[in-house]
Amino acid sequence: MASFIKDLLSVGLSKGGVIVFTLLSHVIIARKLGPEANGVIAALNVYPALFITFGSLGISQATTYFVGQNQHPLEDIKKAIAQIWVLSAIFSVICCYLLIVNLSNSGDKILLVYLAILPVPFSLFVTYNSGIFLGKNNIGFYNKLNWIPAFLTLISNALLVLGFQYDIEGALISSFVGYFFMFVVLLYINGFLKSLSFTIDFKLLKAMISLGITYAIALLIINLNYKLDVILLDKLSTNYELGIYSKGANLMEYLWQIPMLLSTIIFARSAVAKDGKAFSMKVILLLKISFAVVSIASLILFFLSPLVIQLLFGSAFADSTSVLRILLPGVVLLTIFKVLNMDLAGKGLPWISMKAMVPALLLNVILNVIFIPSFGADGAAMASTISYTLASILFLYHYSKAVEISIFQIAKFSINDLNVLFEKISKR
């Protein structure tokens, strides 16, 4: 119990810090730059965000799995990580540049394109390192990898956007500062300078990439479901609509921090759990609590959204209220996926998520193409909510089959669940 409570409080403080620091950064950028400039930033950042996910090749998750299972010496794993990082960083930067220049309406602003892709290699490096700390169940240091970059980004936004009036350029540079700082720190703390070697363990490299690429493809498809509306709004609508949508979606993402608070611990512990089915039952208990909390928070936010949008972003973003309200039902339902998927990922089964996310992604594309020309940002929100609903239903079915626990058992809730929750989750 003490171990779980300690991890929960540690992750909770970290997530709380990330939420506060990131939200304040969004407030600064929204109030200083307005909807259209925020739309440009969203368009420029969408491809780097996707390649930070795919370019990581799932190595963080694969590292967590291998470290947790003690299948290879840690120093050998770190050497493999360093070698993969060099190649993936080069690949991701080139791909991001080509995608932004050729597909984004903001791709002709070359300086902004360079600034948008600048954080990619350093973010990948931090992501790779996080797998080591999760695999060792070092939740405390893992948390620092999350909140320190967010804090430094906030400070940089305050200086560059507010102080020096650098506008879009300042906001993009700020995204780079935090990850670069952590990159320098981790080079020394995690001993990666010693891990840069031309000696290649092909067996380990193949094992990590084989498992990692499955995570990467799954994460890419998942994140495409979250980012596709931004890509299509960039092509089919205006920077104003994109800016309006981005702020509604930003607030939605903060609600997902509630299940992600538990998911970090779930993934780390699932990777080392001896009895997979018993651990899944504990995860299901956590899902029920998360679902209830997210539902209540979403209901409150639904009614308070006009006030929240006004206070945070100003009257220029009043149209973000309807975007947020339309997205909320999908946010609630996708909590099912957010929690349960980390259990399967920790078990080395990330590919199961694709059975739900691929059909949802296809539906999302079709609905966005239909809705955006007529309804703009609201249309993108409608497409996302319908897509999230389909993804949640399909994933619940496939998760039930994978862990051999009935949907009825997963969905059933009783007061007794609350009594046994913390008692059970503290045991591995």
Side-chain angles (χ1 to χ4, degrees):
M1 172 68 81
S3 171
F4 176 73
I5 293 297
K6 181 181 177 182
D7 286 347
L8 185 63
L9 290 174
S10 176
V11 176
L13 289 172
S14 172
K15 293 291 184 185
V18 171
I19 290 173
V20 171
F21 302 145
T22 306
L23 180 59
L24 289 175
S25 287
H26 285 307
V27 169
I28 290 171
I29 295 170
R31 287 189 169 272
K32 182 67 174 65
L33 304 184
E36 290 195 11
N38 276 264
V40 172
I41 293 171
L44 289 167
N45 282 335
V46 66
Y47 293 111
L50 286 173
F51 267 87
I52 285 171
T53 299
F54 182 70
S56 68
L57 298 174
I59 299 302
S60 172
Q61 292 82 357
T63 300
T64 300
Y65 181 77
F66 281 119
V67 172
Q69 296 294 319
N70 287 315
Q71 294 182 349
H72 300 273
L74 182 59
E75 287 305 313
D76 290 349
I77 292 175
K78 287 163 67 174
K79 284 182 182 178
I81 289 173
Q83 292 160 353
I84 296 169
W85 170 71
V86 171
L87 295 176
S88 64
I90 295 171
F91 170 78
S92 298
V93 166
I94 292 173
C95 287
C96 283
Y97 175 81
L98 293 175
L99 286 169
I100 297 173
V101 168
N102 291 293
L103 297 182
S104 176
N105 288 334
S106 301
D108 58 337
K109 304 174 179 67
I110 296 301
L111 174 60
L112 298 184
V113 174
Y114 291 151
L115 293 177
I117 62 179
L118 190 59
V120 171
F122 306 105
S123 177
L124 288 175
F125 188 81
V126 174
T127 299
Y128 285 5
N129 271 266
S130 68
I132 295 175
F133 296 108
L134 270 186
K136 293 160 68 174
N137 256 293
N138 187 348
I139 302 296
F141 199 89
Y142 171 83
N143 290 332
K144 294 176 183 176
L145 298 180
N146 292 315
W147 72 259
I148 290 178
F151 174 72
L152 293 176
T153 298
L154 170 61
I155 298 301
S156 183
N157 273 312
L159 290 173
L160 297 180
V161 178
L162 287 181
F164 292 101
Q165 308 287 310
Y166 283 164
D167 297 342
I168 294 176
E169 292 87 348
L172 294 175
I173 292 171
S174 297
S175 298
F176 156 77
V177 170
Y179 289 117
F180 181 73
F181 174 81
M182 291 307 302
F183 166 78
V184 174
V185 169
L186 288 169
L187 277 179
Y188 294 94
I189 287 183
N190 226 7
F192 261 87
L193 286 175
K194 300 176 183 177
S195 301
L196 294 171
S197 170
F198 291 103
T199 304
I200 300 175
D201 184 340
F202 287 101
K203 184 178 179 181
L204 175 58
L205 213 62
K206 180 182 177 182
M208 291 188 70
I209 293 176
S210 296
L211 177 59
I213 197 68
T214 308
Y215 283 110
I217 294 172
L219 286 169
L220 176 64
I221 293 171
I222 291 166
N223 280 276
L224 270 173
N225 260 302
Y226 306 152
K227 303 294 184 182
L228 180 73
D229 30 27
V230 173
I231 294 172
L232 292 177
L233 273 168
D234 184 29
K235 299 299 293 184
L236 302 175
S237 192
T238 65
N239 284 333
Y240 173 82
E241 291 291 331
L242 183 50
I244 289 299
Y245 181 85
S246 68
K247 287 298 169 270
N250 287 153
L251 288 179
M252 170 200 75
E253 291 170 3
Y254 295 128
L255 285 175
W256 276 336
Q257 293 299 321
I258 297 171
M260 292 308 292
L261 165 66
L262 299 170
S263 293
T264 299
I265 303 171
I266 290 169
F267 183 70
R269 296 192 172 206
S270 183
V272 298
K274 305 303 180 186
D275 187 337
K277 187 170 183 178
F279 190 85
S280 293
M281 290 300 298
K282 302 170 189 178
V283 173
I284 289 168
L285 288 175
L286 289 174
L287 168 65
K288 294 171 183 178
I289 304 303
S290 296
F291 191 86
V293 173
V294 172
S295 297
I296 294 169
S298 296
L299 187 62
I300 294 170
L301 186 56
F302 182 89
F303 289 108
L304 295 181
S305 53
L307 178 62
V308 171
I309 295 289
Q310 171 69 30
L311 287 175
L312 293 178
F313 306 132
S315 57
F317 288 88
D319 289 341
S320 295
T321 299
S322 58
V323 170
L324 178 59
R325 284 177 165 174
I326 294 169
L327 285 170
L328 285 175
V331 172
V332 172
L333 288 173
L334 208 63
T335 301
I336 297 170
F337 173 82
K338 285 283 186 178
V339 176
L340 298 183
N341 185 50
M342 292 300 284
D343 182 27
L344 293 185
K347 288 180 169 67
L349 300 171
W351 54 270
I352 291 177
S353 67
M354 289 188 279
K355 293 183 177 181
M357 281 298 179
V358 170
L361 178 61
L362 294 175
L363 179 63
N364 207 356
V365 172
I366 294 169
L367 293 179
N368 268 294
V369 171
I370 293 171
F371 292 161
I372 287 176
S374 299
F375 303 105
D378 286 348
M382 287 187 284
S384 291
T385 286
I386 296 171
S387 171
Y388 295 165
T389 301
L390 177 64
S392 302
I393 294 170
L394 290 177
F395 184 78
L396 182 60
Y397 169 75
H398 291 297
Y399 177 84
S400 172
K401 289 182 63 177
V403 299
E404 298 180 341
I405 299 172
S406 71
I407 294 176
F408 175 77
Q409 282 182 282
I410 296 172
K412 183 182 66 174
F413 183 82
S414 67
I415 297 300
N416 189 52
D417 290 337
L418 294 174
N419 298 329
V420 300
L421 176 63
F422 290 106
E423 176 186 346
K424 284 191 171 185
I425 196 64
S426 62
K427 301 175 184 176
R428 295 184 186 180

